[in-house]
Structures are given as structure tokens and as C-alpha cells.
Amino acid sequence: MSQVRVRPMGATASLDRTGHGGVVARSGASLTLAGSPSMEGFNPLELLDASLAGCLALSVRIAARNLGLNDRLGSVSVEVIGAKAAEPPSRIARQTCRFAIEGDFNDAERRSLIEEAHKVCTIGNSYHAAIDIIDGEPLL
């Protein structure tokens, strides 16, 4: 019986006085955080879009296994474009998802893969439920 590996959850973001920064995940993964629109790296809104896109792409593979279609699945690409709300408070009002699923599927099967992917996507499911954001003890 194989054991399921689980990556540690969590990340730390930091910025220096000039606005340059980064994000380091507890797993050790890292990326550059853009402190302004002209800086290299991801901004937080892009990270939100990337989180949903990545989760949905992975979830299509899970969906294919769940639906018995894995042997026909080729590559998967998911584009997510967020739109900010016009009224306060500052937030994302909508994220539009566009799927490119390669494989020998008819339209109904592609729709089933996308529907199942949405059902198993942890990020999307988290959006639909309430996420408690709480402050813990200070880092320093």
C-alpha cells in the first residue's frame, strides 16, 4: 500500500524598503513578489489567478481518472483572468476560466471533465465556502 505524500501548507511573503520582495512556501518553493506594477515578479492578484489556474489544471487530470478517461487525456492548459470589483471593498469579483484539453474527447466529455475538475478543485471549493482569515502570533 503506497503512502500519499502531502506538501506542507503555508507561505511567507516579505518586502524590503524599496518594494522588492519574494514569497517562500513552506515546501521550499519560491518566487519574486512584485511590489509595484513596473517590478518583475508576480503581484498578489496574479498569484490568485495562478492558484486557481494551477489547481484546475491538476484537477482535470484527477477528473479524467475519476471518469475513466485518463488514457485519452493529453495536455491541459487553464487560463484564468480575474476582474476586480468596481465598488469597495477592494476584491476580485469574478475569475473567468478557459480550458484547453487535448485528447480524443467529444464536447460532452470535455464538459464533464471541466465540471468534475471544478468539483475537486481545492482552490475553487475554498472560494465557494467561507475561508477564515485569522491573525496568529507575530513572527518577530
Side-chain angles (χ1 to χ4, degrees):
M1 186 194 269
S2 65
Q3 227 176 346
V4 175
R5 275 188 68 189
V6 179
R7 286 173 70 121
M9 290 179 55
T12 302
S14 58
L15 290 172
D16 65 18
R17 2 178 348 123
T18 67
H20 291 87
V23 177
V24 178
R26 292 185 71 203
S27 66
S30 64
L31 57 86
T32 301
L33 182 63
S36 73
S38 62
M39 290 182 172
E40 293 282 326
F42 283 92
N43 72 34
L45 299 179
E46 291 167 329
L47 290 171
L48 199 59
D49 290 342
S51 292
L52 182 58
C55 193
L56 285 170
L58 294 168
S59 295
V60 168
R61 293 213 167 272
I62 295 168
R65 281 196 306 270
N66 292 349
L67 298 172
L69 302 172
N70 201 39
D71 60 330
R72 293 189 275 154
L73 183 63
S75 66
V76 176
S77 177
V78 181
E79 176 185 58
V80 173
I81 299 172
K84 287 186 78 171
E87 69 285 340
S90 181
R91 69 191 185 288
I92 298 298
R94 175 180 54 263
Q95 285 178 304
T96 301
C97 306
R98 294 177 30 176
F99 291 78
I101 301 171
E102 290 185 11
D104 184 22
F105 303 114
N106 60 39
D107 288 343
E109 289 170 324
R110 275 192 174 78
R111 281 192 303 275
S112 292
L113 284 167
I114 292 167
E115 185 178 299
E116 181 71 11
H118 280 292
K119 288 179 185 175
V120 300
C121 176
T122 301
I123 301 299
N125 288 331
S126 298
Y127 287 167
H128 294 295
I131 300 173
D132 293 329
I133 300 173
I134 61 172
D135 292 326
E137 293 297 320
L139 292 172
L140 302 177

